[in-house]
């Protein structure tokens, strides 16, 4: 038993060491990924459930790693937030998404573009200027940009974050609270937050018609949106039943695999045309 214990201890040390080295390597690769053009964006359609029209798209980052293949954002965004790389990466996402929105508008499809804003980006003093100059550079009307922020990124930096969200609002930029209901939030603060949209997290949508608690949570968010005059968008809609339920219950917007997976830029417009029956 003694040797067994020691062996498993050594095994443990070795695997932790290995894991740490793999992490360091990933971090090193992450630091050069931008200059090596390894990132690209995909776009997930957002659908108005009343009209059945695509009203916009959420831009989502992808990392094509030369050896690992596609690395999911959940594996590298937290790392990029820790080491600060999220700032230049986030600027690149914003620029790329606005460039794409301008191109779609030029080709007769003026859609709203939603971009995820990390807590680290929101804490930058220059963030408002960065966003505004990106819009000017691509000649995008501010009302066509939506920034997705999480409750937690606002709550952990409340006064400063509210000040910046107010500046965005003054400029006409829209703000959505992402992953609503999963972080720590308070209704008192939500009332003070200058936001226009609540996003129901996919964890509540997945079992919407199976799990009564999830049904009640989704209902509560929809009702909250109504009483605070915020539009509500459900993410992770995968079935016709979920879509029907949300639409009947008064949720205005939705996105999810039921409509479309996030698409490369080149496939997006033809999807929209087909979806609209053209
Ligand atoms: P999120 O912002 O909550 O994005 C929703 C995630 O759900 C996306 O995962 C999307 O591809 C996925 N999804 C969409 N429809 C469905 C569906 O019907 N079923 C299921 N199961 N999933 C669906 P993705 O693209 O892997 O992104 C994961 C997270 O990474 C995002 O969560 C966001 O927090 C972060 N992220 C992605 N792109 C960016 C970015 O450009 N900047 C920042 N700061 N974060 C990003
Ligand atoms: Ca999002
Ligand atoms: Ca989410
Ligand atoms: Ca998220």
């Amino acid at each position: 038993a003694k040797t067994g214990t020691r062996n498993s201890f050594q095994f443990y040390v070795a695997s932790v060491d290995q894991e740490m080295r793999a992490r360091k390597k990933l971090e090193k690769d992450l630091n050069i990924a931008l200059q090596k053009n390894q990132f690209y964006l995909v776009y997930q359609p957002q659908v108005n459930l009343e009209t059945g029209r695509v009203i916009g798209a959420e831009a989502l980052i992808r990392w094509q790693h030369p050896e690992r293949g596609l690395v999911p954002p959940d594996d590298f965004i937290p790392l990029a937030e820790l080491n600060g790389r999220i700032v230049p990466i986030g600027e690149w996402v914003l620029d790329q998404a606005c460039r794409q929105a301008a191109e779609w508008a030029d080709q007769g499809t003026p859609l709203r573009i939603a971009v995820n804003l990390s807590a680290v980006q929101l804490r930058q003093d220059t963030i408002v200027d960065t966003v505004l100059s990106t819009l000017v550079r691509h000649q995008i009307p501010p009302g066509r940009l939506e920034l997705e922020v999480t409750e937690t990124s606002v709550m952990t930096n409340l006064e400063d974050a509210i000040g910046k969200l107010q500046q965005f609002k003054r400029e006409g930029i829209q703000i959505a609270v992402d992953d609503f209901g999963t972080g720590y939030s308070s209704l008192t603060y939500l009332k003070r937050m200058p936001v226009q949209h609540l996003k129901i997290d996919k964890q509540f949508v997945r079992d919407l018609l199976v799990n009564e608690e999830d049904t009640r949570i989704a209902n509560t968010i929809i009702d909250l949106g109504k009483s605070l005059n915020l539009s509500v968008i459900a993410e992770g809609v995968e079935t016709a039943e979920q879509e029907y339920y949300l639409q009947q219950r008064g949720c205005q917007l939705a996105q999810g695999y039921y409509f479309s997976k996030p698409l490369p830029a080149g496939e997006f417009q033809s999807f929209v045309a087909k979806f609209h029956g053209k």
Side-chain angles (χ1 to χ4, degrees):
K2 237 181 191 165
T3 19
T5 309
R6 193 180 336 146
N7 282 345
S8 65
F9 176 72
Q10 280 168 346
F11 176 74
Y12 173 74
V13 169
S15 71
V16 165
D17 187 56
Q18 244 168 22
E19 221 172 83
M20 202 135 97
R21 249 182 293 155
R23 210 184 131 91
K24 279 258 171 330
K25 168 84 165 76
L26 193 67
E27 196 170 345
K28 223 175 108 201
D29 294 346
L30 186 62
N31 292 342
I32 53 166
L34 202 53
Q35 73 199 56
K36 295 217 160 184
N37 288 314
Q38 290 166 359
F39 294 123
Y40 63 96
L41 297 184
V42 287
Y43 300 88
Q44 187 169 43
Q46 298 183 324
V47 176
N48 181 319
L49 294 178
E50 286 149 31
T51 63
R53 308 281 296 181
V54 175
I55 56 100
E58 178 178 6
L60 295 155
I61 195 168
R62 295 292 177 262
W63 179 15
Q64 184 65 52
H65 189 282
E67 294 127 40
R68 291 170 180 246
L70 216 51
V71 183
D74 283 329
D75 287 0
F76 70 86
I77 294 287
L79 203 61
E81 288 180 322
L82 278 176
N83 76 5
R85 287 302 291 175
I86 191 66
V87 173
I89 294 172
E91 279 178 23
W92 177 85
V93 170
L94 193 65
D95 184 74
Q96 194 67 20
C98 287
R99 180 191 313 270
Q100 192 56 63
E103 200 182 308
W104 287 334
D106 280 347
Q107 295 164 354
T109 322
L111 292 172
R112 196 178 73 189
I113 188 87
V115 174
N116 292 285
L117 203 66
S118 151
V120 178
Q121 288 178 276
L122 191 59
R123 249 180 262 132
Q124 301 286 308
D125 288 334
T126 50
I127 187 62
V128 177
D129 287 338
T130 300
V131 170
L132 292 177
S133 64
T134 308
L135 290 174
V136 169
R137 187 159 61 248
H138 298 290
Q139 295 182 287
I140 303 280
R144 213 171 283 159
L145 176 68
E146 180 168 306
L147 298 173
E148 299 194 355
V149 299
T150 63
E151 304 155 274
T152 312
S153 74
V154 174
M155 297 294 293
T156 51
N157 193 24
L158 195 66
E159 296 308 322
D160 180 62
I162 287 184
K164 283 164 179 161
L165 296 187
Q166 266 157 357
Q167 290 182 59
F168 285 132
K169 185 184 176 185
R170 238 178 280 133
E171 298 292 338
I173 294 165
Q174 305 187 44
I175 308 290
V177 185
D178 207 355
D179 301 349
F180 188 73
T182 66
Y184 73 96
S185 62
S186 129
L187 295 181
T188 315
Y189 292 126
L190 182 63
K191 204 184 81 184
R192 285 189 53 205
M193 275 163 65
V195 302
Q196 293 81 41
H197 314 276
L198 298 179
K199 261 190 120 164
I200 307 178
D201 192 69
K202 60 177 183 289
Q203 78 174 75
F204 305 123
V205 175
R206 190 183 49 218
D207 297 323
L208 186 60
L209 299 157
V210 186
N211 183 319
E212 234 176 86
E213 269 169 22
D214 289 339
T215 316
R216 276 191 237 117
I217 290 170
N219 289 348
T220 302
I221 297 175
I222 293 166
D223 292 339
L224 187 63
K226 281 206 190 102
S227 51
L228 294 178
N229 204 17
L230 307 172
S231 83
V232 175
I233 173 159
E235 73 172 22
V237 175
E238 293 188 359
T239 69
E241 290 75 21
Q242 291 166 347
E243 185 225 29
Y244 183 76
Y245 180 84
L246 289 162
Q247 191 235 322
Q248 292 298 302
R249 195 60 182 67
C251 176
Q252 299 97 325
L253 303 171
Q255 65 185 94
Y257 299 161
Y258 175 64
F259 306 104
S260 170
K261 296 210 164 186
L263 298 168
E267 289 169 33
F268 190 82
Q269 271 181 309
S270 54
F271 168 83
V272 174
K274 228 171 103 189
F275 193 80
H276 291 167
K278 283 189 207 127

